[in-house]
Amino acid sequence: MMEPFLSRLRPRKEQGTYALSLVYGKTVYHYLISQDKAGKFCIPEGTKFDTLWQLVEYLKLKADGLIYRLKEACPNSSASAEAAAPTLPAHPSTFTQPQRRVDTLNSDGYTPEPARVASPDKQRPMPMDTSVYESPYSDPEELKDKKLFLKRENLLVADIELGCGNFGSVRQGVYRMRKKQIDVAIKVLKHSTEKADKDEMMREAQIMHQLDNPYIVRLIGVCQAEALMLVMEMASGGPLHKFLVGKKEEIPVSNVAELLHQVAMGMKYLEEKNFVHRDLAARNVLLVNRHYAKISDFGLSKALGADDSYYTARSAGKWPLKWYAPECINFRKFSSRSDVWSYGVTMWEAFSYGQKPYKKMKGPEVLDFIKQGKRMECPPECPPEMYSLMSDCWTYKWEDRPDFQTVEQRMRNYYYSLASRAEGSPQCGQVAEVACG
Ligand code: ADP
Ligand code: MG
């Protein structure tokens, strides 16, 4: 019995479609990979992904409609190369209908194994295997009940505190839906008679309500009962900076780049939707697990007007100055480009494994430091490519700073280059580390 393998991945004439060829037994199966309007890739009826690489990685773990999960790439085909050269002459007429799962015995009496994890390295959960990759409302049955305000009887608030802030505390809980119960994090507004506090929390809810992306903490809804409660999907791994402290030996740089790439994908989505976050920092990146990060805390976020590229704050407030671009502090102007500056500081926090930026300097001193053209140094473990990107995020003039589309692409290229280096090496999964300097 021949092992099935990925024969090739190649672009087709129709814009945005790719062919995936798979040999199983003596038969070659061709699958069409298409891209939807939002740019996501999938095989027919399969799970959708932001990039081809993610789709291929997923199909190595799960058949997801293929006759078998992908095993080995044949020489000359590269799963990560999005424009791999054809290795065999092909004609569209050779495309067969994609098959769904095969449950019956084949003619040779062989039943394909169910998709399973191939090697210990592949045992790590991928974002798409978790329950928080897609919205709980992506099920049309559940969508029928989607409303901003949730019924208190469907919400269980446990006496477990996940975190706290000025507003009150974040508690663990369970929300009952039509077909399932989901773990949730509940931001509970401390007893306050101030209408302003309630309004502020409702503004945060209104922003989150408009967002739906795998790399952003989703709002499930709001519940007004014993207190005003903001019910969110759960990211139980806690904030990124706390997770990384003291883990230089345990968490390789490739893992840090993986998480930062996910943050870049979430921020690219926000940029496309014309939202500014205004509080991007490692403390507001929460982990679902070691390989899956989500952006959270939309307390300062704003939706920009259709024709606006920035938001001007009426007055300065309690601001995270060390994460703010010069134009935020000087002119109270906030844009996706100022979020890019904060992303650079978040990168620095992550590659320094949870250190505090600008050491003991105070916020206003940081602005002087920046004005003098100085920038934080490259953290010891940080690869030069990543320091170069964070330095570009700290371009003084916002017009000259890269946008998230560029940042995401550079993060992706770097992270994938590590992944493909690891695939090419005999010890698959061991990603080569490159240190600065
Ligand atoms: P603040 O506006 O006070 O910074 P955050 O939204 O950042 O509030 O939440 C504070 C803390 O609560 C976080 O650092 C985290 O520990 C916890 N928390 C918040 N949201 C979630 C969530 N969705 N899942 C798990 N923990 C969360
Ligand atoms: Mg926060």
mmCIF file of all heavy atoms in Angstrom, residues 214-245:
data_model
loop_
_atom_site.group_PDB
_atom_site.id
_atom_site.type_symbol
_atom_site.label_atom_id
_atom_site.label_comp_id
_atom_site.label_asym_id
_atom_site.label_seq_id
_atom_site.Cartn_x
_atom_site.Cartn_y
_atom_site.Cartn_z
ATOM 1 N N PRO A 214 -10.382 35.304 14.423
ATOM 2 C CA PRO A 214 -9.810 34.277 15.312
ATOM 3 C C PRO A 214 -8.753 34.813 16.281
ATOM 4 O O PRO A 214 -8.499 34.202 17.316
ATOM 5 C CB PRO A 214 -9.153 33.288 14.342
ATOM 6 C CG PRO A 214 -9.737 33.552 13.009
ATOM 7 C CD PRO A 214 -10.197 34.974 12.992
ATOM 8 N N TYR A 215 -8.136 35.961 15.928
ATOM 9 C CA TYR A 215 -7.044 36.469 16.757
ATOM 10 C C TYR A 215 -7.463 37.662 17.619
ATOM 11 O O TYR A 215 -6.626 38.441 18.065
ATOM 12 C CB TYR A 215 -5.819 36.788 15.875
ATOM 13 C CG TYR A 215 -5.465 35.573 15.061
ATOM 14 C CD1 TYR A 215 -5.751 35.496 13.694
ATOM 15 C CD2 TYR A 215 -4.941 34.434 15.686
ATOM 16 C CE1 TYR A 215 -5.495 34.334 12.972
ATOM 17 C CE2 TYR A 215 -4.688 33.279 14.969
ATOM 18 C CZ TYR A 215 -4.964 33.230 13.613
ATOM 19 O OH TYR A 215 -4.726 32.077 12.911
ATOM 20 N N ILE A 216 -8.759 37.769 17.817
ATOM 21 C CA ILE A 216 -9.311 38.822 18.670
ATOM 22 C C ILE A 216 -10.313 38.178 19.618
ATOM 23 O O ILE A 216 -11.123 37.336 19.198
ATOM 24 C CB ILE A 216 -9.987 39.913 17.795
ATOM 25 C CG1 ILE A 216 -8.902 40.665 17.000
ATOM 26 C CG2 ILE A 216 -10.812 40.868 18.647
ATOM 27 C CD1 ILE A 216 -9.413 41.741 16.079
ATOM 28 N N VAL A 217 -10.237 38.545 20.911
ATOM 29 C CA VAL A 217 -11.195 38.007 21.886
ATOM 30 C C VAL A 217 -12.591 38.491 21.485
ATOM 31 O O VAL A 217 -12.819 39.700 21.324
ATOM 32 C CB VAL A 217 -10.848 38.488 23.319
ATOM 33 C CG1 VAL A 217 -11.970 38.149 24.287
ATOM 34 C CG2 VAL A 217 -9.528 37.880 23.799
ATOM 35 N N ARG A 218 -13.504 37.544 21.311
ATOM 36 C CA ARG A 218 -14.861 37.926 20.879
ATOM 37 C C ARG A 218 -15.763 38.230 22.070
ATOM 38 O O ARG A 218 -15.632 37.604 23.120
ATOM 39 C CB ARG A 218 -15.494 36.798 20.068
ATOM 40 C CG ARG A 218 -14.829 36.555 18.742
ATOM 41 C CD ARG A 218 -15.620 35.522 17.944
ATOM 42 N NE ARG A 218 -14.915 35.172 16.718
ATOM 43 C CZ ARG A 218 -14.049 34.169 16.616
ATOM 44 N NH1 ARG A 218 -13.799 33.395 17.662
ATOM 45 N NH2 ARG A 218 -13.445 33.922 15.474
ATOM 46 N N LEU A 219 -16.669 39.133 21.825
ATOM 47 C CA LEU A 219 -17.702 39.398 22.812
ATOM 48 C C LEU A 219 -18.833 38.406 22.574
ATOM 49 O O LEU A 219 -19.253 38.214 21.434
ATOM 50 C CB LEU A 219 -18.236 40.823 22.629
ATOM 51 C CG LEU A 219 -19.308 41.220 23.638
ATOM 52 C CD1 LEU A 219 -18.680 41.611 24.964
ATOM 53 C CD2 LEU A 219 -20.152 42.378 23.107
ATOM 54 N N ILE A 220 -19.316 37.769 23.634
ATOM 55 C CA ILE A 220 -20.489 36.900 23.488
ATOM 56 C C ILE A 220 -21.739 37.769 23.665
ATOM 57 O O ILE A 220 -22.711 37.636 22.956
ATOM 58 C CB ILE A 220 -20.479 35.751 24.525
ATOM 59 C CG1 ILE A 220 -19.135 34.993 24.511
ATOM 60 C CG2 ILE A 220 -21.655 34.802 24.304
ATOM 61 C CD1 ILE A 220 -18.762 34.344 23.194
ATOM 62 N N GLY A 221 -21.672 38.677 24.615
ATOM 63 C CA GLY A 221 -22.779 39.601 24.823
ATOM 64 C C GLY A 221 -22.605 40.338 26.144
ATOM 65 O O GLY A 221 -21.575 40.216 26.811
ATOM 66 N N VAL A 222 -23.623 41.100 26.491
ATOM 67 C CA VAL A 222 -23.598 41.888 27.722
ATOM 68 C C VAL A 222 -24.747 41.402 28.582
ATOM 69 O O VAL A 222 -25.794 41.014 28.059
ATOM 70 C CB VAL A 222 -23.804 43.384 27.371
ATOM 71 C CG1 VAL A 222 -23.853 44.226 28.617
ATOM 72 C CG2 VAL A 222 -22.723 43.873 26.434
ATOM 73 N N CYS A 223 -24.558 41.387 29.887
ATOM 74 C CA CYS A 223 -25.651 40.979 30.773
ATOM 75 C C CYS A 223 -25.835 42.034 31.855
ATOM 76 O O CYS A 223 -24.887 42.369 32.565
ATOM 77 C CB CYS A 223 -25.330 39.600 31.361
ATOM 78 S SG CYS A 223 -26.692 38.925 32.308
ATOM 79 N N GLN A 224 -27.031 42.546 31.945
ATOM 80 C CA GLN A 224 -27.332 43.535 32.981
ATOM 81 C C GLN A 224 -28.151 42.828 34.063
ATOM 82 O O GLN A 224 -29.311 42.488 33.865
ATOM 83 C CB GLN A 224 -28.116 44.707 32.354
ATOM 84 C CG GLN A 224 -28.624 45.721 33.343
ATOM 85 C CD GLN A 224 -27.498 46.558 33.979
ATOM 86 O OE1 GLN A 224 -26.933 47.429 33.339
ATOM 87 N NE2 GLN A 224 -27.179 46.280 35.259
ATOM 88 N N ALA A 225 -27.522 42.573 35.195
ATOM 89 C CA ALA A 225 -28.225 41.901 36.298
ATOM 90 C C ALA A 225 -27.723 42.502 37.608
ATOM 91 O O ALA A 225 -27.822 43.721 37.773
ATOM 92 C CB ALA A 225 -27.981 40.396 36.227
ATOM 93 N N GLU A 226 -27.121 41.683 38.488
ATOM 94 C CA GLU A 226 -26.623 42.237 39.757
ATOM 95 C C GLU A 226 -25.550 43.299 39.515
ATOM 96 O O GLU A 226 -25.300 44.156 40.352
ATOM 97 C CB GLU A 226 -26.128 41.129 40.693
ATOM 98 C CG GLU A 226 -24.932 40.321 40.221
ATOM 99 C CD GLU A 226 -25.298 39.115 39.353
ATOM 100 O OE1 GLU A 226 -26.365 39.138 38.703
ATOM 101 O OE2 GLU A 226 -24.505 38.151 39.321
ATOM 102 N N ALA A 227 -24.919 43.224 38.349
ATOM 103 C CA ALA A 227 -23.960 44.246 37.904
ATOM 104 C C ALA A 227 -23.991 44.224 36.386
ATOM 105 O O ALA A 227 -24.549 43.304 35.783
ATOM 106 C CB ALA A 227 -22.564 43.906 38.412
ATOM 107 N N LEU A 228 -23.353 45.213 35.773
ATOM 108 C CA LEU A 228 -23.221 45.164 34.315
ATOM 109 C C LEU A 228 -22.046 44.235 34.007
ATOM 110 O O LEU A 228 -20.953 44.395 34.568
ATOM 111 C CB LEU A 228 -22.966 46.572 33.766
ATOM 112 C CG LEU A 228 -22.809 46.673 32.245
ATOM 113 C CD1 LEU A 228 -24.056 46.196 31.510
ATOM 114 C CD2 LEU A 228 -22.477 48.109 31.829
ATOM 115 N N MET A 229 -22.286 43.241 33.137
ATOM 116 C CA MET A 229 -21.262 42.237 32.866
ATOM 117 C C MET A 229 -21.013 42.120 31.362
ATOM 118 O O MET A 229 -21.953 42.038 30.572
ATOM 119 C CB MET A 229 -21.688 40.879 33.421
ATOM 120 C CG MET A 229 -21.794 40.880 34.939
ATOM 121 S SD MET A 229 -22.345 39.308 35.591
ATOM 122 C CE MET A 229 -24.116 39.455 35.415
ATOM 123 N N LEU A 230 -19.727 42.091 31.017
ATOM 124 C CA LEU A 230 -19.323 41.938 29.618
ATOM 125 C C LEU A 230 -18.826 40.495 29.470
ATOM 126 O O LEU A 230 -17.862 40.101 30.122
ATOM 127 C CB LEU A 230 -18.194 42.942 29.411
ATOM 128 C CG LEU A 230 -17.909 43.501 28.063
ATOM 129 C CD1 LEU A 230 -17.567 44.981 28.238
ATOM 130 C CD2 LEU A 230 -16.726 42.807 27.505
ATOM 131 N N VAL A 231 -19.548 39.715 28.681
ATOM 132 C CA VAL A 231 -19.247 38.285 28.576
ATOM 133 C C VAL A 231 -18.424 38.024 27.306
ATOM 134 O O VAL A 231 -18.854 38.337 26.204
ATOM 135 C CB VAL A 231 -20.560 37.453 28.564
ATOM 136 C CG1 VAL A 231 -20.264 35.961 28.500
ATOM 137 C CG2 VAL A 231 -21.415 37.810 29.769
ATOM 138 N N MET A 232 -17.220 37.465 27.521
ATOM 139 C CA MET A 232 -16.288 37.264 26.385
ATOM 140 C C MET A 232 -15.884 35.803 26.270
ATOM 141 O O MET A 232 -15.985 35.055 27.243
ATOM 142 C CB MET A 232 -14.991 38.044 26.634
ATOM 143 C CG MET A 232 -15.151 39.510 26.793
ATOM 144 S SD MET A 232 -13.611 40.235 27.432
ATOM 145 C CE MET A 232 -13.777 39.968 29.169
ATOM 146 N N GLU A 233 -15.335 35.444 25.118
ATOM 147 C CA GLU A 233 -14.745 34.111 25.019
ATOM 148 C C GLU A 233 -13.545 34.056 25.954
ATOM 149 O O GLU A 233 -12.927 35.059 26.245
ATOM 150 C CB GLU A 233 -14.276 33.700 23.629
ATOM 151 C CG GLU A 233 -14.253 34.650 22.560
ATOM 152 C CD GLU A 233 -13.606 34.157 21.283
ATOM 153 O OE1 GLU A 233 -14.200 33.322 20.596
ATOM 154 O OE2 GLU A 233 -12.535 34.680 20.940
ATOM 155 N N MET A 234 -13.262 32.848 26.370
ATOM 156 C CA MET A 234 -12.223 32.657 27.374
ATOM 157 C C MET A 234 -10.854 32.451 26.725
ATOM 158 O O MET A 234 -10.719 31.688 25.769
ATOM 159 C CB MET A 234 -12.610 31.415 28.164
ATOM 160 C CG MET A 234 -11.542 30.912 29.047
ATOM 161 S SD MET A 234 -11.470 31.938 30.492
ATOM 162 C CE MET A 234 -11.789 30.696 31.659
ATOM 163 N N ALA A 235 -9.860 33.152 27.236
ATOM 164 C CA ALA A 235 -8.467 32.910 26.827
ATOM 165 C C ALA A 235 -7.715 32.598 28.120
ATOM 166 O O ALA A 235 -7.213 33.493 28.796
ATOM 167 C CB ALA A 235 -7.904 34.131 26.128
ATOM 168 N N SER A 236 -7.720 31.328 28.478
ATOM 169 C CA SER A 236 -7.320 30.950 29.848
ATOM 170 C C SER A 236 -5.813 30.988 30.099
ATOM 171 O O SER A 236 -5.372 30.857 31.224
ATOM 172 C CB SER A 236 -7.864 29.567 30.181
ATOM 173 O OG SER A 236 -7.381 28.657 29.223
ATOM 174 N N GLY A 237 -5.014 31.192 29.034
ATOM 175 C CA GLY A 237 -3.551 31.186 29.227
ATOM 176 C C GLY A 237 -2.980 32.464 29.832
ATOM 177 O O GLY A 237 -1.791 32.525 30.109
ATOM 178 N N GLY A 238 -3.825 33.482 29.999
ATOM 179 C CA GLY A 238 -3.364 34.727 30.623
ATOM 180 C C GLY A 238 -2.568 35.617 29.672
ATOM 181 O O GLY A 238 -2.335 35.281 28.513
ATOM 182 N N PRO A 239 -2.142 36.792 30.186
ATOM 183 C CA PRO A 239 -1.455 37.768 29.343
ATOM 184 C C PRO A 239 -0.071 37.294 28.890
ATOM 185 O O PRO A 239 0.640 36.612 29.621
ATOM 186 C CB PRO A 239 -1.321 39.004 30.240
ATOM 187 C CG PRO A 239 -2.110 38.738 31.459
ATOM 188 C CD PRO A 239 -2.355 37.276 31.553
ATOM 189 N N LEU A 240 0.308 37.722 27.678
ATOM 190 C CA LEU A 240 1.550 37.275 27.033
ATOM 191 C C LEU A 240 2.801 37.570 27.860
ATOM 192 O O LEU A 240 3.682 36.716 27.984
ATOM 193 C CB LEU A 240 1.646 37.940 25.648
ATOM 194 C CG LEU A 240 2.883 37.640 24.815
ATOM 195 C CD1 LEU A 240 2.951 36.164 24.448
ATOM 196 C CD2 LEU A 240 2.893 38.480 23.533
ATOM 197 N N HIS A 241 2.913 38.799 28.423
ATOM 198 C CA HIS A 241 4.163 39.146 29.129
ATOM 199 C C HIS A 241 4.369 38.260 30.349
ATOM 200 O O HIS A 241 5.476 37.821 30.621
ATOM 201 C CB HIS A 241 4.187 40.635 29.493
ATOM 202 C CG HIS A 241 3.168 41.057 30.502
ATOM 203 N ND1 HIS A 241 1.837 40.759 30.366
ATOM 204 C CD2 HIS A 241 3.288 41.739 31.669
ATOM 205 C CE1 HIS A 241 1.184 41.272 31.394
ATOM 206 N NE2 HIS A 241 2.035 41.852 32.200
ATOM 207 N N LYS A 242 3.271 37.962 31.054
ATOM 208 C CA LYS A 242 3.399 37.117 32.263
ATOM 209 C C LYS A 242 3.787 35.701 31.876
ATOM 210 O O LYS A 242 4.581 35.051 32.542
ATOM 211 C CB LYS A 242 2.088 37.091 33.046
ATOM 212 C CG LYS A 242 1.827 38.370 33.788
ATOM 213 C CD LYS A 242 0.793 38.180 34.878
ATOM 214 C CE LYS A 242 0.541 39.500 35.585
ATOM 215 N NZ LYS A 242 -0.802 39.567 36.153
ATOM 216 N N PHE A 243 3.209 35.246 30.765
ATOM 217 C CA PHE A 243 3.489 33.884 30.321
ATOM 218 C C PHE A 243 4.968 33.710 29.976
ATOM 219 O O PHE A 243 5.576 32.676 30.263
ATOM 220 C CB PHE A 243 2.620 33.561 29.098
ATOM 221 C CG PHE A 243 3.017 32.308 28.377
ATOM 222 C CD1 PHE A 243 2.736 31.063 28.928
ATOM 223 C CD2 PHE A 243 3.703 32.372 27.172
ATOM 224 C CE1 PHE A 243 3.123 29.905 28.268
ATOM 225 C CE2 PHE A 243 4.093 31.213 26.522
ATOM 226 C CZ PHE A 243 3.799 29.978 27.070
ATOM 227 N N LEU A 244 5.571 34.752 29.380
ATOM 228 C CA LEU A 244 6.941 34.603 28.860
ATOM 229 C C LEU A 244 8.040 34.780 29.918
ATOM 230 O O LEU A 244 9.165 34.322 29.708
ATOM 231 C CB LEU A 244 7.173 35.590 27.710
ATOM 232 C CG LEU A 244 6.441 35.274 26.403
ATOM 233 C CD1 LEU A 244 6.615 36.410 25.402
ATOM 234 C CD2 LEU A 244 6.944 33.967 25.793
ATOM 235 N N VAL A 245 7.697 35.424 31.032
ATOM 236 C CA VAL A 245 8.725 35.696 32.038
ATOM 237 C C VAL A 245 9.410 34.398 32.489
ATOM 238 O O VAL A 245 8.741 33.423 32.832
ATOM 239 C CB VAL A 245 8.118 36.448 33.262
ATOM 240 C CG1 VAL A 245 9.109 36.485 34.425
ATOM 241 C CG2 VAL A 245 7.736 37.855 32.863
#
